Amino acid sequence: MPCRQWRSNGEARSLIRRRKESKMKNEASSSNSRDDSVVVDCGRRRSSCGYCKSSGRTSISHGLWAHSITVNDYQDLLDRGWRRSGCFLYKPEMERTCCPSYTIRVKAGDFVPSKDQHRVYRRMDRFLDGTLEVRNPIELGDNPNTSKHTGSLSNHNVSSSAGNVSIFLSNKQENKAEEVVHNLSDQIDKVVHTYIGSGELPSGIQLPKAAVKKVSNAKRKLSVEGSEDLLYSSNIAFQIAATLRQTQSSEDTQQLRMSHSAEENDLSPKSIAEKLTCSLKKLADSSGFSIRACNGHINFYSTAKNVSSDADVQNGTLHKELGSGSKISSANKSSEYPQVQKRKLELRLKRSSFDPEEYALYRRYQMKVHKDTPDRVTESSYKRFLVDTPLLFVSPSADGMVPTCGFGSFHQQYIIDGKLVAVGVIDILPGCLSSKYLFWDPDYAFLSLGKYSALQEIDWVKENQAYSAGLQYYYMGYYIHSCSKMRYKAAYYPSELLCPLRYQWVSFHTARPLLDKKKYVILSDFASLQDVESSKSCVPESVMELQHNDIGLEDTNDAPMDDEEMIESESSDDELEPEISGLASAAIGDGDLSNVLVGLRGSRLRYKELQRAFGTTEMNYLQTQLRSYQRVVGVGLSERMVYSLG
């Protein structure tokens, strides 16, 4: 049984409870046949805290058991501070709980990768290229589904001096590549501003900043001419097209002033990329790059004189640095520096379903990383936590408003040479990609797969804005300032925290000094402070500090819930109505219950239509329950989602 209802001695409470329990028994294991949201209110729940590890039941939240949830309703629930664990939805009672949990998100188009996050990309690129030396060798051939390798990832037996030179050269190359990336990004931004000034792009809209990425050797493709390598690429045209599409669909679209002709008014990613590329051609003469637009991407190719792989540069420079003083001779160079083994990384997005290989990886991750005992990592608990979902799947649409994968719950698989090394459990919604959980192979901890998967998911949002204009944000779950292990989430800049009272978004840079003083803060009271911060283009020092202090914490997930925690609910009658402070009471108020949607014996009725179904005592108790429910989900959702009584 998903939830235990309120205990009572009264006939009304008993009747309503029996109807709810009957409804849950009949529907808990059945498939969803309706296209609306159906929930059972579990009320307040107390449990032990997975963050501060308190001995008592100090974690306090409100719970709902969801038989079905539309993606739009769940998006709205996220924007009111809710999360899900399987089919169980929960929202911390921020004034009461021991560790206040603030929903955190980042706008993908505005995301600015830090130096550390750039290093994560480069480390993965070098690993795939075969140029990354791994201290602890990993055999990929143990898995029957894995491509066979003749050796470990690191079978170089070089002297310590050679290793030090290699590390020095690697860092030097990383810094040079990072400098090129920033320079190319700035050049694109300048061109975009030029087009805005000339009227070829609309003014009055905040367009996203350009982000240029280095293309790994494993992914490079020769150009048509065959003399140039693809070195860098940017998808800024997709982001601009998505922003313009969203703006043009708003009511203010008539206020936009465009000076270009009807033919030039084609603002598709392909057209925008071609426009930007035309103005970027001048850059090719001074930088040594050949620049071309390709299906909406802006690609930077090397010229013939600069064609060489990173591995060639590393090896050539390494021999020069070692010189005649090295004991490594050309005769034994082939044995000391065998030909690198390149690897293939595949990302596969699949609908949420049970996969034995995923479960085996999850079990290993939980026991080795989180030190769980085998009896706590059962197949049934795994299914309830990470496979079961109440989200109603939405298929891709021809109108381009839904991404090609659809909306719903998914598992993102990371596969290296045929071996499953990580799985990201995510929800793709109309407004965001919501990251739920990540588990990975402990042997690959050196790749920082937590950070890498987050960066991949942010990139996914950027790329899919062309298919779904409203898809703008990346939700990272809860930020818990009082728990040092969860602070790493704010390193994804610029992030925002959700005000726990008025549900407005406030920049983390504004919120952090407030949370340093108090665990619970009504963030919207300080929203005006954002005006000063928003004018700054650099990453604040407070965020940079988090980026340097999150080593080893990047793979920390939101604490999973035990089955007992999902079931347990408050039962004391005096806590049916949460005590709300004066300010909170004034801000929230009591909404009109007349149109709250109630499910009863297979019918959908408004609360005002239930007068004949219950007596006065029953109606008074139901009114108390519905008022508490409406406060935590909001008036709009209480009138759309079905409050199930049975």
Side-chain angles (χ1 to χ4, degrees):
M1 186 181 301
C3 307
R4 181 187 305 154
Q5 302 303 314
W6 304 99
R7 280 202 310 245
S8 70
N9 296 322
E11 205 174 293
R13 296 181 176 88
S14 178
L15 175 61
I16 292 176
R17 182 186 63 198
R18 288 197 302 271
R19 284 174 174 163
K20 284 185 178 181
E21 291 176 347
S22 174
K23 178 73 171 178
M24 286 186 289
K25 287 179 180 178
N26 292 335
E27 293 187 5
S29 60
S30 64
S31 61
N32 298 317
S33 59
R34 305 184 66 97
D35 57 358
D36 50 13
S37 302
V38 180
V39 298
V40 176
D41 188 7
C42 301
R44 176 177 293 144
R45 49 180 291 280
R46 292 180 181 269
S47 64
S48 58
C49 182
Y51 301 110
C52 65
K53 307 296 183 182
S54 63
S55 56
R57 294 160 60 216
T58 57
S59 178
I60 306 173
S61 62
H62 198 107
L64 297 173
W65 182 266
H67 295 298
S68 60
I69 289 284
T70 67
V71 291
N72 287 294
D73 286 347
Y74 187 57
Q75 177 72 66
D76 289 347
L77 285 169
L78 286 182
D79 291 334
R80 291 186 64 87
W82 289 83
R83 290 279 284 168
R84 75 176 184 89
S85 179
C87 294
F88 184 77
L89 312 180
Y90 59 99
K91 169 184 166 65
E93 291 194 4
M94 299 286 278
E95 287 183 282
R96 297 168 175 258
T97 192
C98 56
C99 296
S101 306
Y102 298 82
T103 300
I104 183 170
R105 73 179 187 181
V106 62
K107 190 172 184 179
D110 294 340
F111 172 63
V112 181
S114 66
K115 289 184 178 180
D116 179 65
Q117 290 158 353
H118 277 300
R119 290 191 191 100
V120 171
Y121 268 128
R122 290 194 294 271
R123 188 183 304 124
M124 176 63 80
D125 287 344
R126 298 200 330 267
F127 175 69
L128 297 176
D129 291 343
T131 58
L132 177 68
E133 293 187 12
V134 183
R135 182 170 299 177
N136 296 321
I138 301 172
E139 294 288 348
L140 295 183
D142 294 339
N143 191 316
N145 298 323
T146 302
S147 300
K148 301 299 181 181
H149 292 263
T150 57
S152 65
L153 300 185
S154 177
N155 51 9
H156 293 188
N157 185 22
V158 297
S159 65
S160 59
S161 61
N164 292 335
V165 173
S166 177
I167 293 173
F168 169 78
L169 294 173
S170 176
N171 290 337
K172 189 174 181 180
Q173 285 184 323
E174 286 184 6
N175 293 334
K176 183 177 180 180
E178 186 173 326
E179 183 180 347
V180 173
V181 164
H182 284 300
N183 181 49
L184 295 178
S185 300
D186 290 341
Q187 293 293 335
I188 295 176
D189 286 335
K190 290 178 182 178
V191 172
V192 170
H193 287 303
T194 300
Y195 276 122
I196 293 175
S198 65
E200 293 197 55
L201 286 175
S203 59
I205 302 175
Q206 184 176 358
L207 296 177
K209 294 183 178 180
V212 175
K213 286 186 180 180
K214 182 181 177 183
V215 180
S216 66
N217 289 343
K219 297 180 180 179
R220 291 178 188 172
K221 296 180 179 179
L222 289 176
S223 64
V224 177
E225 291 81 1
S227 61
E228 297 175 329
D229 272 335
L230 173 61
L231 299 182
Y232 301 92
S233 183
S234 174
N235 64 356
I236 182 63
F238 288 92
Q239 301 171 45
I240 293 176
T243 302
L244 296 178
R245 182 177 180 179
Q246 184 183 35
T247 305
Q248 290 175 344
S249 64
S250 66
E251 297 178 357
D252 299 331
T253 185
Q254 295 181 353
Q255 298 178 5
L256 298 178
R257 296 183 178 179
M258 308 289 289
S259 64
H260 41 4
S261 64
E263 181 179 355
E264 294 174 327
N265 202 22
D266 177 15
L267 294 178
S268 65
K270 183 177 180 180
S271 174
I272 293 174
E274 291 173 351
K275 288 177 181 290
L276 297 178
T277 300
C278 288
S279 296
L280 287 167
K281 291 289 187 180
K282 296 179 181 179
L283 182 63
D285 298 333
S286 59
S287 66
F289 290 109
S290 171
I291 308 172
R292 290 194 293 277
C294 181
N295 296 325
H297 293 270
I298 301 175
N299 292 337
F300 298 85
Y301 299 85
S302 69
T303 56
K305 63 181 180 180
N306 290 332
V307 174
S308 64
S309 67
D310 288 345
D312 294 335
V313 174
Q314 281 188 0
N315 291 336
T317 311
L318 178 60
H319 297 316
K320 291 179 181 179
E321 292 288 338
L322 289 176
S324 59
S326 172
K327 296 181 180 180
I328 303 177
S329 65
S330 59
N332 62 9
K333 183 175 67 174
S334 60
S335 61
E336 297 290 351
Y337 292 94
Q339 186 174 3
V340 295
Q341 175 83 47
K342 292 190 176 183
R343 304 172 184 88
K344 180 182 179 182
L345 170 65
E346 297 177 76
L347 271 62
R348 298 177 185 171
L349 186 65
K350 58 189 284 287
R351 295 270 300 277
S352 181
S353 61
F354 179 75
D355 184 325
E357 187 180 8
E358 289 184 356
Y359 169 60
L361 178 61
Y362 169 79
R363 184 177 174 84
R364 184 163 180 257
Y365 166 80
Q366 291 294 134
M367 290 192 294
K368 191 164 185 178
V369 176
H370 293 289
K371 311 303 180 185
D372 282 352
T373 56
D375 61 296
R376 290 180 58 86
V377 196
T378 63
E379 183 177 308
S380 59
S381 65
Y382 166 72
K383 289 179 178 178
R384 283 192 294 271
F385 177 37
L386 295 178
V387 178
D388 293 347
T389 175
L391 295 188
L392 298 173
F393 179 72
V394 177
S395 301
S397 59
D399 59 6
M401 298 306 293
V402 181
T404 54
C405 62
F407 291 136
S409 299
F410 299 86
H411 286 192
Q412 174 89 297
Q413 295 182 332
Y414 295 79
I415 301 169
I416 296 178
D417 286 348
K419 180 179 181 180
L420 182 68
V421 299
V423 177
V425 182
I426 60 176
D427 292 326
I428 298 177
L429 306 172
C432 74
L433 184 154
S434 175
S435 178
K436 186 177 184 299
Y437 205 76
L438 178 84
F439 52 94
W440 38 269
D441 190 328
D443 288 343
Y444 291 80
F446 64 92
L447 288 176
S448 299
L449 290 170
K451 289 180 181 178
Y452 185 78
S453 65
L455 295 172
Q456 286 292 328
E457 288 164 359
I458 292 173
D459 286 342
W460 187 94
V461 174
K462 290 181 181 180
E463 293 171 0
N464 281 271
Q465 287 175 354
Y467 305 104
S468 180
L471 195 60
Q472 297 277 320
Y473 292 94
Y474 177 59
Y475 283 53
M476 296 174 279
Y478 287 137
Y479 173 82
I480 304 174
H481 196 68
S482 57
C483 178
S484 60
K485 290 184 178 181
M486 302 303 290
R487 290 190 179 189
Y488 75 92
K489 295 183 178 183
Y492 296 85
Y493 177 82
S495 56
E496 300 174 306
L497 301 184
L498 184 67
C499 175
L501 178 63
R502 299 187 184 92
Y503 306 112
Q504 298 174 8
W505 293 97
V506 177
S507 73
F508 172 78
H509 184 55
T510 300
R512 178 173 182 174
L514 306 172
L515 295 174
D516 284 338
K517 298 176 182 178
K518 288 178 61 179
K519 291 195 297 184
Y520 173 73
V521 180
I522 300 175
L523 298 175
S524 56
D525 288 347
F526 305 91
S528 59
L529 298 176
Q530 296 184 106
D531 297 336
V532 177
E533 187 267 338
S534 62
S535 63
K536 301 178 181 179
S537 59
C538 59
V539 180
E541 292 184 5
S542 59
V543 177
M544 294 177 65
E545 178 185 342
L546 286 170
Q547 293 170 349
H548 288 293
N549 293 339
D550 67 347
I551 299 175
L553 302 178
E554 69 273 8
D555 298 322
T556 307
N557 288 290
D558 290 339
M561 291 190 175
D562 294 333
D563 294 341
E564 294 80 4
E565 294 177 0
M566 297 182 192
I567 295 173
E568 183 133 14
S569 299
E570 285 285 352
S571 58
S572 55
D573 295 339
D574 60 347
E575 288 198 299
L576 286 176
E577 292 252 24
E579 296 177 6
I580 303 176
S581 64
L583 179 59
S585 179
I588 296 177
D590 289 331
D592 184 4
L593 299 179
S594 300
N595 291 316
V596 173
L597 190 58
V598 179
L600 180 63
R601 297 171 185 170
S603 300
R604 270 60 169 158
L605 302 169
R606 300 293 175 183
Y607 173 72
K608 61 187 177 184
E609 300 170 341
L610 289 176
Q611 301 294 332
R612 299 178 181 177
F614 298 103
T616 303
T617 304
E618 295 171 345
M619 287 300 294
N620 288 339
Y621 175 71
L622 179 58
Q623 182 177 0
T624 301
Q625 291 259 20
L626 291 180
R627 197 168 298 285
S628 174
Y629 164 73
Q630 190 181 68
R631 280 175 175 161
V632 292
V633 303
V635 174
L637 282 169
S638 72
E639 296 177 356
R640 291 203 311 268
M641 299 194 304
V642 178
Y643 181 93
S644 179
L645 290 178

